[in-house]
Each structure stands twice: as C-alpha cells, then as structure tokens.
Amino acid sequence: MKHMIFNKIRNGFMSSEKGDMTIMMAFLVTSLLIVSAFTVDIGAAYVKIAEAQNALDAAALAAGQLLPVSESDSSAIEEVYNTANSYLQKNGFNDFSEDDVCFSGSGGYYTSLTISTAATAKTYFSTIIGISQISSEKSASVGTYATGRVSGAVPFGIDANAFTFEQGYAVPKAGGGGGENGVFGYIALDGTSTNANAVKGWIANGFDGENYVGQILPLATGNMASAVKSAIPERINSCTHFEGDGGCNASHFVFGCPRVVIVPVYETIDTRTIRIIGFTAFILEGCTNQAEVYGTYVRANIPSIGGEAGGIDFGCYSICLID
C-alpha cells in the first residue's frame, strides 16, 4: 500500500515537472523568436540608417561646394537648398525641407552648413511586440577652410599687406615696385625658373605643379609685358559661361573658367624672395597697354589638394565633412 502511494506521488511530481518544462520551453522559444525577429529588424534598420547617412554626406558635400555664400544672397542660398534636395531625392529621401538645413558663418558669409533628417525603417517581425518602426536622427556637416595647397596658380603675387576684397589690383612688371593698390611681382612658382620663358606659360595656362602655404620662392625677372598682353585677353575671351550676361564676373562665376585664377598671397623675406601665406581667387577683367592686370577678388571654393589648411583667409576655400 505504501509502495503504491509513493509511486502515485512520484508520478504526479514528474508529470508536474514535465508540465513546467513544457511551459519553460515555450517561453524560451517565444523569447528566442522575439529576439531573433528584433535582431533581423535591427539589422535592416542599420542598413537603412547607414544609407541615410551616406545620402546626407553626399548632399552636404554637393551643397557645400557652393559655399561660401553671402547671408544676403537669397538666390545663392536657394541654390544650396536645391542642390541638397536633389541629392537626397536621388537617394530616396523625399521629405526634405529648408528647415533641414542650418547655416553658420561670420563676416556676412555662410561658411558651413548642417543637413539633418530622420531615418526611419519599417519593421516586419517586431510588430508582434508593438514596434512598427525604428527611427534615428542623422545629420551631416560641412565646413570651409582656407586652402593651403593649390595647383594651377598664376605667377601674379600680391603682398598680404596690400590685400583687400574691396578693390581689384594691377600687376606691374617684375621689379617695378608698387602699383596703385599694392606691391606686386611675378613669382617663380616652381622655385627655379626665374627667367621670363616659364613664367609666360604660367600666365597663359597656370602652373601645372603645386604650391602651398609656407613655400619660399624667388621672384622672377624679365619683361613679361608681351605675355600679359596676349595671355590675359585670351583667357578672358575663352570664358563660355553666362553668355547672356557677359561671362564670369564677380557676381557669378564658375571655378575652372580661364577668367578665374588663383593668386598666391605672400609676405616678403627680402627683395628677391617671398613666402606664400595664402591664396586668393581673382576674376580677370582686362589689362592695360602697360601690361597691368586688373580684376576683382572673389571668394571661391576650389578643389582640395592634400587637405592642408592655409590658416589665413584670403578667399580661397576648400570643404570637408565635419565629424
């Protein structure tokens, strides 16, 4: 009798234990399914959010190419918006608005911008636990910095003490001393060719090497008048932009146009040697019979070479993504 009672108790306990195990296994399986489903959705959302970041980076870099822009230039600002919107739409982001772009800068110019958007990924499996989407706020920022290394410069140098955005300048013959608007001279951009032959080619086509902030260079000698009087009009007449409005000028220009040149800004070491401390962009407008070149300084965004910052702002900028 006692043996029969013991067996019943033991069998009941074992049945209860099996029932508990069944419940626990069901709970574990359900939990694993939920975690797996959430993991799948998280992975898909990560891809979607990464795509959004890539799209924002591309849009910011494209829009940043238009910087700097004047705070009062509504058409230029609108072009920045349109450029950013175009890149985002190409990548499937159609909810862009002007409120998604934030500008910053100083001195009346916007020199950096941030584009923001909400990246949203729909879930498929996580809806069983009430999660229908996964969202993340993403942004990309670009800023300009004073360019420290360029290619294609022309050998017209300007003393930093004479530089101002409010006027153009004239370039007299090498050794001619000061012009009305400052002290200028022709620079041997390759560091060795101080005679007129090489310099004439640089006037016409730009220097095919690189120049950088801190570079010490000699001034060139010789009469460049004939080179100036032939090359400058040719460069001006080669402009094919804004045909209905006289071509590139200080109000609208295309970098890379023969009218738009990069000019080294320097400090004097001695009467025959200079040190480059920055670069400026210059719109060629003409030259006189005395081979004096005149035009207007502008702020321009130019391709970055080596990512070197110039430190001193003379109007030549490059852009980079800001972390």
Side-chain angles (χ1 to χ4, degrees):
M1 183 68 178
K2 290 181 179 180
H3 182 70
M4 291 177 62
I5 294 172
F6 175 77
N7 285 339
K8 288 181 179 181
I9 294 173
R10 185 186 65 181
N11 292 337
F13 177 78
M14 291 181 68
S15 296
S16 174
E17 190 176 52
K18 288 179 180 179
D20 290 343
M21 288 296 295
T22 301
I23 294 172
M24 290 180 64
M25 286 300 296
F27 176 77
L28 288 173
V29 169
T30 301
S31 299
L32 286 173
L33 287 174
I34 291 173
V35 171
S36 298
F38 195 59
T39 301
V40 170
D41 284 335
I42 285 288
Y46 178 83
V47 172
K48 181 70 174 180
I49 291 170
E51 290 175 350
Q53 186 65 64
N54 291 336
L56 283 171
D57 289 347
L61 285 170
Q65 295 292 339
L66 303 174
L67 299 176
V69 295
S70 171
E71 295 176 3
S72 60
D73 191 340
S74 58
S75 62
I77 294 171
E78 185 68 22
E79 187 177 0
V80 172
Y81 287 134
N82 292 339
T83 300
N85 187 33
S86 175
Y87 270 76
L88 288 172
Q89 285 188 345
K90 287 178 182 178
N91 287 278
F93 296 90
N94 301 311
D95 298 327
F96 175 81
S97 73
E98 293 185 358
D99 293 336
D100 296 328
V101 179
C102 179
F103 290 96
S104 60
S106 61
Y109 281 81
Y110 292 131
T111 56
S112 62
L113 61 84
T114 298
I115 304 176
S116 303
T117 191
T120 301
K122 292 182 179 179
T123 62
Y124 297 94
F125 303 106
S126 300
T127 53
I128 62 177
I129 56 173
I131 299 176
S132 60
Q133 65 182 30
I134 298 173
S135 298
S136 176
E137 286 290 331
K138 306 302 292 183
S139 65
S141 300
V142 295
T144 61
Y145 60 91
T147 302
R149 184 180 291 266
V150 304
S151 64
V154 294
F156 306 152
I158 177 168
D159 190 297
N161 294 323
F163 179 84
T164 174
F165 275 114
E166 280 68 45
Q167 60 189 16
Y169 73 97
V171 183
K173 292 183 291 185
E180 180 181 349
N181 295 321
V183 180
F184 315 97
Y186 299 100
I187 301 174
L189 295 174
D190 66 352
T192 58
S193 301
T194 59
N195 59 60
N197 291 332
V199 178
K200 290 177 181 179
W202 302 334
I203 294 173
N205 305 305
F207 177 47
D208 59 3
E210 296 181 4
N211 297 111
Y212 55 89
V213 169
Q215 187 177 21
I216 297 175
L217 297 171
L219 293 177
T221 59
N223 192 331
M224 314 294 176
S226 62
V228 169
K229 288 190 286 186
S230 63
I232 298 305
E234 183 175 344
R235 292 188 74 135
I236 292 172
N237 293 332
S238 296
C239 174
T240 59
H241 311 108
F242 311 103
E243 292 183 2
D245 198 14
C248 289
N249 57 42
S251 299
H252 49 233
F253 58 89
V254 176
F255 186 79
C257 175
R259 283 191 189 183
V260 185
V261 296
I262 302 173
V263 178
V265 182
Y266 65 79
E267 61 183 7
T268 301
I269 295 177
D270 56 45
T271 57
R272 305 305 309 157
T273 313
I274 60 92
R275 178 187 290 107
I276 295 176
I277 62 172
F279 300 94
T280 188
F282 189 66
I283 304 290
L284 295 171
E285 296 171 358
C287 66
T288 68
N289 288 332
Q290 291 73 40
E292 293 179 333
V293 179
Y294 58 90
T296 304
Y297 296 117
V298 293
R299 291 174 171 84
N301 201 321
I302 71 173
S304 175
I305 300 176
E308 289 189 42
I312 302 177
D313 179 3
F314 294 110
C316 266
Y317 308 97
S318 296
I319 65 167
C320 64
L321 285 169
I322 302 172
D323 293 334

